[in-house]
Amino acid sequence: EIVLTQSPGTLSLSPGERASLSCRASQSVSSISLAWYQQKPGQAPRLLIYGVSSRATGIPDRFSGSGSGTDFTLTISRLEPEDFAVYYCQQYGSSPFTFGQGTKLEIK
Amino acid sequence: QVQLVQSGAEVKKPGASVRVSCKASGYTFTSYYMHWVRQAPGQGLEWMGIINPSAGGTNYAQKFQGRVTMTRDTSTSTVYMELSSLRSEDTAVYFCARVYSDKWSPFDYWGQGTLVTVSS
């Protein structure tokens, strides 16, 4: 099983700032099978990034993904008020499909 | 448009079973695998398993082997997740989620979630 570890657990930033969220895998993630999701309270997760760096439909270009092997990063270039939420990385290249424990992005 | 509509909240006693449904619309039901994911209160996302709506084949997370059964009804475009021998730790919101393309792809559409509460 691939274990995904996200850091930091909580990130406190202000609107307009840049956010960098990390996801580290216990072993190399198959191909480019790494995604990021955003979840707001009381809502289902929303797919942001797949294939490490491809934005899902309708996702603004301030969201970007990068990385390879075991180290991945989600970057939000300039935070908007609606970006404060919990973010999860996920690998979908091997079963079981696993998620990181999440990073909470909160307003400073 | 793609929609996944889940059944309503459930309250169950320890030891009982629960069945959650997920009705799909807006796409060809048999062309996309469906996953089940759960989220305990204040916790992260936990993958439970996947079903192929076409052939009915399933793959479950080891943690739930023997307690979970995923099925589908192609006539109503609905997938079901049944969890048995419920315990308090199974209290969670259960989501169905459709794959983006093939089995090994991310989850692009999600149901609204179904809260299952296990309490005596």
Side-chain angles (χ1 to χ4, degrees):
Chain A
E1 172 176 333
I2 298 178
V3 176
L4 300 178
T5 302
Q6 294 186 238
S7 61
T10 302
L11 185 57
S12 300
L13 294 170
S14 300
E17 291 193 291
R18 179 185 183 91
S20 289
L21 286 65
S22 173
C23 176
R24 179 161 292 177
S26 60
Q27 55 189 280
S28 186
V29 173
S30 171
S31 224
I32 50 172
S33 305
L34 193 287
W36 291 90
Y37 298 84
Q38 176 194 69
Q39 188 179 33
K40 297 180 179 178
Q43 296 184 15
R46 173 193 182 196
L47 177 65
L48 295 176
I49 300 286
Y50 65 96
V52 177
S53 60
S54 297
R55 277 187 299 276
T57 303
I59 302 303
D61 60 8
R62 64 180 181 273
F63 291 90
S64 63
S66 62
S68 65
T70 60
D71 286 291
F72 303 91
T73 300
L74 173 70
T75 301
I76 311 171
S77 58
R78 282 179 52 88
L79 285 165
E80 297 287 343
E82 62 266 27
D83 298 337
F84 292 91
V86 179
Y87 292 83
Y88 295 94
C89 59
Q90 179 211 27
Q91 69 81 23
Y92 51 89
S94 64
S95 183
F97 299 72
T98 48
F99 293 88
Q101 82 281 15
T103 289
K104 181 179 182 180
L105 179 55
E106 65 176 24
I107 299 177
K108 186 173 182 180
Chain B
Q1 73 284 18
V2 174
Q3 280 194 303
L4 302 176
V5 179
Q6 297 184 221
S7 49
E10 302 264 13
V11 179
K12 295 292 183 181
K13 294 193 183 304
S17 298
V18 68
R19 190 173 83 154
V20 179
S21 67
C22 170
K23 183 173 176 58
S25 62
Y27 70 97
T28 302
F29 175 70
T30 52
S31 295
Y32 295 83
Y33 285 75
M34 195 80 78
H35 294 267
W36 287 92
V37 176
R38 78 177 186 179
Q39 186 170 39
Q43 302 301 310
L45 303 169
E46 182 175 32
W47 180 76
M48 299 181 69
I50 184 174
I51 182 167
N52 177 351
S54 179
T58 56
N59 178 20
Y60 303 137
Q62 189 162 5
K63 174 177 180 175
F64 301 102
Q65 289 275 3
R67 283 209 304 144
V68 71
T69 304
M70 296 176 188
T71 57
R72 93 290 188 217
D73 181 343
T74 56
S75 68
T76 60
S77 299
T78 302
V79 295
Y80 300 91
M81 187 283 300
E82 182 167 8
L83 189 62
S84 63
S85 302
L86 289 169
R87 33 206 188 234
S88 58
E89 310 88 87
D90 294 317
T91 293
V93 175
Y94 290 77
F95 295 99
C96 58
R98 197 199 76 164
V99 298
Y100 174 66
S101 56
D102 61 21
K103 178 179 179 180
W104 305 105
S105 64
F107 309 171
D108 64 346
Y109 287 95
W110 295 66
Q112 83 275 20
T114 297
L115 175 61
V116 175
T117 303
V118 182
S119 174
S120 55

